[in-house]
Amino acid sequence: MQPIHTPQLIIRTFSILDASFVLKLMNTPSWIEYIGDRNVKSVSSASNYIQDKIIRSYRQHGFGLYHVSLNTTNTPIGICGLVKREGLLFPDLGFAMMPKYQGKGYATEASKAVVNYSNKTLHITKLAGITKPENIASIKVLENVGMQFEQMIQLPQDPNLFSLFTLVLHKEDE
């Protein structure tokens, strides 16, 4: 994937060199509360997570989670991309920002860019978005990219109930 540039952001693939950032992000209170503890407690385990989960997804599915940074300073601020989840028929739009960058529109800006990339480059025709029903900020992002609530669902091996949002992407005229 070529990096995606938006007015404020650069969205690119992850590399092992991003391990210290992934370690910080995955241990923020909002990540633990809304996404879950992935047991990433060291730079080494963050490197393994990038290799075994994120980079593997790029190879297996042609998409994955992407690194999000500010385009003016190249400061890493979050993650946004697509996840293939067991129990979902369509790729799931996922995102998380460091606490300092939450509530500033960056998750929406990154998500809109990933939705556009999903449609125009990956030719995906439908996306899902799941979140815990109490995660109002994530629900707003999903709605801001055009997703609509469909139903409450439970995923395999997960005791939580999630709000499932979906978005049908339109094929461009050929």
Side-chain angles (χ1 to χ4, degrees), residues 8-156:
Q8 300 179 91
L9 306 172
I10 301 169
I11 302 163
R12 63 164 175 81
T13 54
F14 272 96
S15 81
I16 299 296
L17 300 175
D18 299 310
S20 61
F21 171 68
V22 167
L23 174 64
K24 287 181 208 163
L25 179 65
M26 293 179 85
N27 286 287
T28 60
S30 57
W31 182 286
I32 300 291
E33 179 179 359
Y34 293 121
I35 298 171
D37 188 347
R38 299 293 189 254
N39 202 30
V40 174
K41 305 298 180 197
S42 67
V43 173
S44 174
S45 61
S47 293
N48 290 338
Y49 186 90
I50 292 168
Q51 186 65 46
D52 297 342
K53 302 287 187 189
I54 298 174
I55 294 174
R56 177 180 286 161
S57 180
Y58 299 155
R59 290 187 189 122
Q60 284 184 337
H61 307 296
F63 57 76
L65 292 169
Y66 304 113
H67 180 280
V68 179
S69 59
L70 296 176
N71 65 15
T72 53
T73 61
N74 209 26
T75 303
I77 65 165
I79 192 168
C80 184
L82 303 175
V83 179
K84 180 68 182 115
R85 288 190 200 280
E86 186 181 352
L88 291 179
L89 297 175
F90 310 103
D92 172 34
L93 176 67
F95 48 85
M97 297 293 143
M98 291 294 288
K100 179 178 176 179
Y101 300 99
Q102 292 172 358
K104 299 181 186 302
Y106 295 127
T108 296
E109 185 172 330
S111 294
K112 285 180 178 179
V114 168
V115 167
N116 187 52
Y117 173 74
S118 301
N119 188 14
K120 293 188 173 158
T121 303
L122 300 176
H123 308 291
I124 293 172
T125 58
K126 191 170 184 180
L127 290 175
I130 61 166
T131 187
K132 291 183 177 177
E134 65 272 17
N135 190 345
I136 303 304
S138 288
I139 290 170
K140 286 181 183 176
V141 172
L142 295 173
E143 290 174 341
N144 284 340
V145 301
M147 289 196 178
Q148 295 184 331
F149 176 78
E150 196 167 293
Q151 65 183 356
M152 297 300 294
I153 62 164
Q154 191 169 6
L155 297 175

